């Protein structure tokens, strides 16, 4: 929601194209997730293969942003949406689907509260980021952790 607001200049951010295309990209990824879920194709991926793809995907995500900085002088401080995060997310989802664990505190909390956190965190970020920036904290992972805890 904040991406759409920033794309149309409602949040006084001058990088409208970035947020618009990131939001459009996100819509297609939600559709890919929907297709994977209705087809049960993630159960066909072996757990060992999914772990290998996950480790390689996360490694490439770590390498991707500095490589872009080196070759194209892209900004690395703002949080990016690395290309390889798509593969990592699908592999992680496959690992989770193919792993049977007993229900514990974290799995129960994730089941019960994840939708609420997902829906509330953009609003928390909208107010939290300017507050943290005024206090000299401009690190996106800190913003995300604070918004997760507050949500």
């Amino acid at each position: 929601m904040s991406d759409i607001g920033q794309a149309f200049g409602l949040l006084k951010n001058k990088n409208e194209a970035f947020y618009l295309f990131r939001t459009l990209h996100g819509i297609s990824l939600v559709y890919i997730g929907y297709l994977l879920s209705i087809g049960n194709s993630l159960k066909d991926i072996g757990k060992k293969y999914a772990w290998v793809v996950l480790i390689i995907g996360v490694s490439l995500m770590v390498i991707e942003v500095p490589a872009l900085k080196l070759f194209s002088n892209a900004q690395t401080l703002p949080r990016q949406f690395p290309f390889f995060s798509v593969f990592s997310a699908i592999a992680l989802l496959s690992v989770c689907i193919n792993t049977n664990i007993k229900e514990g505190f974290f799995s129960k909390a994730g089941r019960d509260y994840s939708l609420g956190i997902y829906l509330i965190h953009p609003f928390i970020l909208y107010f939290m980021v300017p507050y943290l920036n005024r206090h000299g904290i401009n690190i996106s992972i800190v913003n995300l952790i604070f918004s997760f805890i507050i949500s």
Side-chain angles (χ1 to χ4, degrees), residues 94-147:
S94 178
V95 167
C96 292
I97 286 174
N98 294 317
T99 302
N100 294 325
I101 60 170
K102 295 179 183 178
E103 185 173 306
F105 172 76
F106 290 109
S107 61
K108 187 176 178 183
R111 182 191 68 224
D112 294 343
Y113 302 113
S114 62
L115 179 61
I117 291 171
Y118 177 75
L119 294 174
I120 291 173
H121 88 275
F123 299 108
I124 301 292
L125 280 172
Y126 178 75
F127 296 105
M128 199 64 171
V129 170
Y131 175 78
L132 292 174
N133 284 343
R134 282 193 301 264
H135 294 288
I137 301 171
N138 192 15
I139 303 169
S140 62
I141 192 71
V142 173
N143 296 339
L144 290 173
I145 290 171
F146 275 129
S147 73

Coordinates of all heavy atoms in Angstrom, one line a residue, residues 94-147:
S94 N 9.0 -24.6 -0.3 CA 9.1 -26.1 -0.5 C 9.6 -26.8 0.6 O 9.1 -27.9 1.0 CB 9.9 -26.4 -1.8 OG 10.0 -27.7 -2.0
V95 N 10.7 -26.3 1.3 CA 11.3 -27.0 2.4 C 10.2 -27.0 3.6 O 10.0 -28.0 4.2 CB 12.5 -26.2 2.9 CG1 13.0 -26.7 4.3 CG2 13.7 -26.4 1.9
C96 N 9.5 -25.9 3.8 CA 8.5 -25.8 4.8 C 7.4 -26.8 4.6 O 6.9 -27.4 5.5 CB 8.0 -24.4 5.0 SG 9.2 -23.3 5.6
I97 N 6.9 -26.9 3.3 CA 5.8 -27.8 3.0 C 6.2 -29.2 3.2 O 5.4 -30.1 3.6 CB 5.3 -27.5 1.6 CG1 4.5 -26.2 1.6 CG2 4.4 -28.6 1.0 CD1 4.1 -25.7 0.2
N98 N 7.4 -29.6 2.8 CA 7.9 -31.0 2.9 C 8.5 -31.4 4.2 O 9.0 -32.5 4.3 CB 8.9 -31.2 1.7 CG 8.2 -31.1 0.4 OD1 7.1 -31.6 0.2 ND2 8.8 -30.4 -0.5
T99 N 8.4 -30.5 5.2 CA 9.0 -30.9 6.5 C 7.8 -31.0 7.5 O 7.0 -30.1 7.7 CB 10.0 -29.8 7.0 OG1 11.0 -29.6 6.0 CG2 10.6 -30.1 8.3
N100 N 7.8 -32.1 8.2 CA 6.8 -32.3 9.2 C 7.4 -32.1 10.6 O 8.4 -32.7 11.0 CB 6.2 -33.7 9.2 CG 5.4 -34.0 7.9 OD1 4.8 -33.1 7.4 ND2 5.5 -35.2 7.4
I101 N 6.8 -31.1 11.3 CA 7.3 -30.8 12.7 C 6.1 -30.8 13.6 O 5.0 -30.6 13.2 CB 8.1 -29.5 12.8 CG1 7.2 -28.3 12.4 CG2 9.3 -29.5 11.9 CD1 7.8 -27.0 12.6
K102 N 6.4 -31.0 14.9 CA 5.4 -30.9 15.9 C 5.0 -29.4 16.1 O 5.9 -28.6 15.9 CB 5.8 -31.5 17.2 CG 6.1 -33.0 17.2 CD 6.6 -33.5 18.5 CE 6.9 -34.9 18.4 NZ 7.4 -35.5 19.7
E103 N 3.8 -29.2 16.4 CA 3.4 -27.8 16.6 C 4.0 -27.3 17.9 O 3.9 -27.9 19.0 CB 1.9 -27.7 16.7 CG 1.4 -26.3 16.8 CD -0.1 -26.2 16.7 OE1 -0.7 -26.7 15.7 OE2 -0.7 -25.5 17.6
G104 N 4.6 -26.1 17.8 CA 5.3 -25.5 19.0 C 4.8 -24.0 19.0 O 3.9 -23.6 18.3
F105 N 5.5 -23.3 19.9 CA 5.1 -21.9 20.1 C 5.2 -21.1 18.8 O 4.3 -20.3 18.5 CB 6.0 -21.3 21.2 CG 5.8 -19.8 21.3 CD1 4.7 -19.3 22.0 CD2 6.8 -18.9 20.8 CE1 4.5 -17.9 22.1 CE2 6.6 -17.5 20.9 CZ 5.5 -17.0 21.6
F106 N 6.3 -21.2 18.1 CA 6.5 -20.4 16.9 C 5.6 -20.8 15.8 O 5.1 -19.9 15.0 CB 8.0 -20.4 16.5 CG 8.9 -19.7 17.4 CD1 9.8 -20.4 18.2 CD2 8.9 -18.3 17.5 CE1 10.6 -19.7 19.1 CE2 9.7 -17.6 18.4 CZ 10.6 -18.4 19.2
S107 N 5.4 -22.1 15.6 CA 4.5 -22.5 14.5 C 3.1 -22.1 14.8 O 2.4 -21.7 13.9 CB 4.6 -24.0 14.3 OG 4.2 -24.7 15.4
K108 N 2.7 -22.2 16.1 CA 1.3 -21.7 16.4 C 1.2 -20.2 16.3 O 0.2 -19.7 15.7 CB 1.0 -22.1 17.9 CG -0.4 -21.9 18.2 CD -0.7 -22.4 19.6 CE -2.1 -22.1 20.0 NZ -2.5 -22.5 21.4
A109 N 2.2 -19.5 16.7 CA 2.2 -18.0 16.6 C 2.2 -17.6 15.1 O 1.4 -16.7 14.7 CB 3.3 -17.4 17.3
G110 N 3.0 -18.3 14.3 CA 3.0 -18.0 12.8 C 1.6 -18.3 12.2 O 1.2 -17.5 11.4
R111 N 1.0 -19.4 12.6 CA -0.3 -19.7 12.0 C -1.4 -18.7 12.4 O -2.2 -18.2 11.6 CB -0.7 -21.1 12.4 CG -2.0 -21.5 11.9 CD -2.6 -22.8 12.5 NE -2.9 -22.5 13.9 CZ -2.7 -23.3 14.9 NH1 -2.0 -24.4 14.7 NH2 -3.0 -23.0 16.1
D112 N -1.3 -18.3 13.7 CA -2.4 -17.4 14.2 C -2.2 -15.9 13.9 O -3.2 -15.2 13.8 CB -2.5 -17.6 15.7 CG -3.0 -19.0 16.1 OD1 -3.5 -19.7 15.3 OD2 -2.8 -19.4 17.3
Y113 N -1.0 -15.5 13.8 CA -0.7 -14.0 13.7 C -0.1 -13.5 12.4 O 0.1 -12.3 12.2 CB 0.1 -13.6 14.9 CG -0.5 -13.9 16.2 CD1 0.1 -14.8 17.1 CD2 -1.7 -13.3 16.6 CE1 -0.5 -15.1 18.3 CE2 -2.3 -13.6 17.9 CZ -1.7 -14.5 18.7 OH -2.2 -14.8 19.9
S114 N 0.3 -14.4 11.6 CA 1.1 -14.0 10.4 C 0.3 -13.1 9.5 O 0.8 -12.1 8.9 CB 1.6 -15.2 9.6 OG 0.6 -16.0 9.1
L115 N -1.0 -13.4 9.3 CA -1.8 -12.5 8.4 C -2.0 -11.1 9.0 O -1.8 -10.1 8.3 CB -3.2 -13.2 8.1 CG -4.1 -12.3 7.3 CD1 -3.5 -12.2 5.9 CD2 -5.5 -13.0 7.2
G116 N -2.2 -11.1 10.3 CA -2.3 -9.8 10.9 C -1.0 -8.9 10.8 O -1.1 -7.7 10.5
I117 N 0.1 -9.6 11.0 CA 1.4 -8.9 10.9 C 1.6 -8.4 9.5 O 2.0 -7.3 9.2 CB 2.5 -9.8 11.4 CG1 2.4 -10.0 12.9 CG2 3.9 -9.2 11.0 CD1 3.4 -11.0 13.4
Y118 N 1.3 -9.3 8.5 CA 1.4 -8.9 7.1 C 0.6 -7.7 6.7 O 1.0 -6.9 6.0 CB 1.1 -10.2 6.2 CG 1.1 -9.9 4.8 CD1 2.4 -9.8 4.1 CD2 0.0 -9.7 4.0 CE1 2.4 -9.5 2.8 CE2 0.0 -9.5 2.7 CZ 1.3 -9.4 2.1 OH 1.3 -9.1 0.7
L119 N -0.6 -7.7 7.3 CA -1.5 -6.6 6.9 C -1.2 -5.3 7.6 O -1.4 -4.2 7.1 CB -3.0 -7.0 7.2 CG -3.5 -8.1 6.3 CD1 -4.9 -8.5 6.8 CD2 -3.5 -7.7 4.8
I120 N -0.7 -5.4 8.9 CA -0.5 -4.2 9.7 C 0.9 -3.6 9.5 O 1.1 -2.4 9.6 CB -0.6 -4.6 11.2 CG1 -2.1 -4.8 11.5 CG2 -0.1 -3.5 12.1 CD1 -2.4 -5.4 12.8
H121 N 1.9 -4.4 9.1 CA 3.3 -3.9 9.1 C 3.5 -2.7 8.1 O 4.3 -1.8 8.4 CB 4.3 -5.0 8.9 CG 4.6 -5.3 7.5 ND1 3.9 -6.2 6.7 CD2 5.6 -4.9 6.7 CE1 4.4 -6.2 5.5 NE2 5.4 -5.5 5.4
P122 N 2.8 -2.6 7.0 CA 3.1 -1.4 6.2 C 2.7 -0.1 6.9 O 3.3 0.9 6.7 CB 2.2 -1.6 4.9 CG 2.0 -3.1 4.9 CD 2.0 -3.6 6.3
F123 N 1.6 -0.1 7.6 CA 1.2 1.0 8.4 C 2.2 1.4 9.5 O 2.5 2.6 9.7 CB -0.2 0.9 8.9 CG -1.3 0.6 7.8 CD1 -1.8 -0.6 7.7 CD2 -1.6 1.6 7.0 CE1 -2.7 -0.9 6.7 CE2 -2.6 1.4 6.0 CZ -3.1 0.1 5.8
I124 N 2.7 0.4 10.2 CA 3.7 0.6 11.2 C 4.9 1.2 10.6 O 5.5 2.1 11.1 CB 4.0 -0.8 11.9 CG1 2.8 -1.4 12.6 CG2 5.1 -0.6 12.9 CD1 2.2 -0.6 13.7
L125 N 5.3 0.6 9.4 CA 6.5 1.2 8.8 C 6.3 2.6 8.3 O 7.3 3.4 8.4 CB 6.9 0.3 7.5 CG 7.6 -1.0 7.8 CD1 7.7 -1.8 6.5 CD2 9.0 -0.7 8.4
Y126 N 5.1 3.0 7.9 CA 4.8 4.3 7.5 C 5.2 5.3 8.6 O 5.7 6.4 8.3 CB 3.4 4.4 7.0 CG 3.0 5.8 6.6 CD1 3.4 6.3 5.4 CD2 2.2 6.6 7.4 CE1 3.0 7.6 4.9 CE2 1.9 7.9 7.0 CZ 2.3 8.4 5.8 OH 1.9 9.6 5.4
F127 N 4.9 5.0 9.8 CA 5.1 5.9 10.9 C 6.5 5.7 11.6 O 7.1 6.6 12.1 CB 4.0 5.8 12.0 CG 2.7 6.2 11.5 CD1 1.7 5.2 11.2 CD2 2.4 7.5 11.3 CE1 0.5 5.6 10.7 CE2 1.1 7.9 10.8 CZ 0.2 6.9 10.5
M128 N 6.9 4.4 11.5 CA 8.2 4.0 12.2 C 9.4 4.5 11.5 O 10.4 5.0 12.2 CB 8.2 2.5 12.4 CG 9.1 2.0 13.4 SD 8.5 2.6 15.0 CE 9.6 1.7 16.0
V129 N 9.5 4.5 10.2 CA 10.7 4.8 9.5 C 11.0 6.3 9.7 O 12.2 6.6 10.0 CB 10.5 4.5 8.0 CG1 11.6 5.1 7.1 CG2 10.5 3.0 7.8
P130 N 10.1 7.3 9.5 CA 10.5 8.7 9.8 C 10.9 8.9 11.2 O 11.8 9.7 11.5 CB 9.2 9.4 9.5 CG 8.4 8.6 8.6 CD 8.7 7.2 9.0
Y131 N 10.3 8.2 12.2 CA 10.6 8.3 13.6 C 12.1 7.8 13.8 O 12.9 8.5 14.4 CB 9.7 7.6 14.5 CG 10.1 7.5 15.9 CD1 9.8 8.6 16.7 CD2 10.7 6.4 16.5 CE1 10.2 8.6 18.1 CE2 11.1 6.4 17.8 CZ 10.9 7.5 18.6 OH 11.2 7.5 19.9
L132 N 12.4 6.7 13.3 CA 13.8 6.1 13.4 C 14.8 7.0 12.7 O 15.9 7.2 13.1 CB 13.8 4.7 13.0 CG 13.1 3.7 13.9 CD1 13.1 2.3 13.2 CD2 13.6 3.6 15.2
N133 N 14.4 7.5 11.5 CA 15.3 8.4 10.7 C 15.7 9.6 11.5 O 16.8 10.1 11.5 CB 14.7 8.7 9.4 CG 14.8 7.6 8.4 OD1 15.5 6.6 8.6 ND2 14.0 7.7 7.4
R134 N 14.7 10.2 12.2 CA 14.9 11.4 13.0 C 15.9 11.1 14.1 O 16.6 12.0 14.6 CB 13.6 11.9 13.6 CG 12.8 12.7 12.7 CD 11.7 13.5 13.4 NE 10.8 12.6 14.1 CZ 9.7 12.2 13.7 NH1 9.2 12.5 12.5 NH2 8.9 11.4 14.4
H135 N 16.0 9.9 14.6 CA 16.9 9.5 15.6 C 18.2 8.8 15.1 O 18.9 8.2 15.8 CB 16.2 8.5 16.6 CG 15.1 9.2 17.4 ND1 15.4 10.1 18.4 CD2 13.8 9.1 17.3 CE1 14.2 10.6 18.8 NE2 13.2 9.9 18.2
G136 N 18.5 9.0 13.8 CA 19.7 8.6 13.2 C 19.8 7.1 12.8 O 20.8 6.6 12.5
I137 N 18.6 6.4 12.8 CA 18.6 5.0 12.4 C 18.0 4.9 11.0 O 16.8 5.1 10.9 CB 17.8 4.2 13.5 CG1 18.4 4.3 14.8 CG2 17.8 2.7 13.0 CD1 17.6 3.7 15.9
N138 N 18.9 4.6 10.1 CA 18.4 4.5 8.7 C 18.8 3.2 8.1 O 19.3 3.1 7.0 CB 19.0 5.7 7.9 CG 18.3 5.8 6.5 OD1 17.3 5.2 6.3 ND2 18.9 6.5 5.6
I139 N 18.6 2.1 8.8 CA 18.9 0.8 8.4 C 17.6 0.0 8.2 O 16.8 -0.2 9.2 CB 19.8 0.1 9.4 CG1 21.1 0.9 9.7 CG2 20.2 -1.3 9.0 CD1 21.9 0.5 10.8
S140 N 17.4 -0.5 7.0 CA 16.1 -1.1 6.7 C 15.8 -2.4 7.6 O 14.6 -2.6 8.0 CB 16.0 -1.4 5.3 OG 16.9 -2.4 4.9
I141 N 16.8 -3.2 7.9 CA 16.5 -4.4 8.7 C 16.1 -4.0 10.1 O 15.2 -4.7 10.7 CB 17.8 -5.3 8.7 CG1 17.4 -6.7 9.3 CG2 18.9 -4.7 9.5 CD1 16.5 -7.5 8.4
V142 N 16.6 -2.9 10.6 CA 16.2 -2.4 12.0 C 14.7 -2.0 11.9 O 13.9 -2.3 12.8 CB 17.1 -1.3 12.5 CG1 16.5 -0.7 13.8 CG2 18.5 -1.8 12.7
N143 N 14.4 -1.3 10.8 CA 13.0 -0.9 10.6 C 12.0 -2.1 10.6 O 11.0 -2.1 11.2 CB 12.8 0.0 9.3 CG 13.6 1.2 9.4 OD1 13.9 1.7 10.4 ND2 13.9 1.8 8.2
L144 N 12.5 -3.1 9.8 CA 11.6 -4.3 9.7 C 11.5 -5.0 11.0 O 10.4 -5.5 11.3 CB 12.2 -5.2 8.6 CG 12.1 -4.7 7.2 CD1 12.8 -5.6 6.3 CD2 10.7 -4.6 6.8
I145 N 12.5 -5.1 11.8 CA 12.5 -5.8 13.1 C 11.5 -5.1 14.0 O 10.7 -5.7 14.7 CB 13.9 -6.0 13.6 CG1 14.6 -7.1 12.8 CG2 13.8 -6.5 15.1 CD1 16.1 -7.2 13.2
F146 N 11.7 -3.7 14.1 CA 10.8 -2.9 14.9 C 9.4 -3.1 14.5 O 8.5 -3.2 15.4 CB 11.2 -1.5 14.9 CG 12.3 -1.2 15.9 CD1 13.4 -0.5 15.5 CD2 12.2 -1.5 17.3 CE1 14.4 -0.1 16.4 CE2 13.2 -1.2 18.2 CZ 14.3 -0.5 17.8
S147 N 9.1 -3.0 13.2 CA 7.7 -3.1 12.8 C 7.1 -4.5 13.0 O 6.0 -4.6 13.3 CB 7.6 -2.7 11.3 OG 8.1 -3.8 10.5

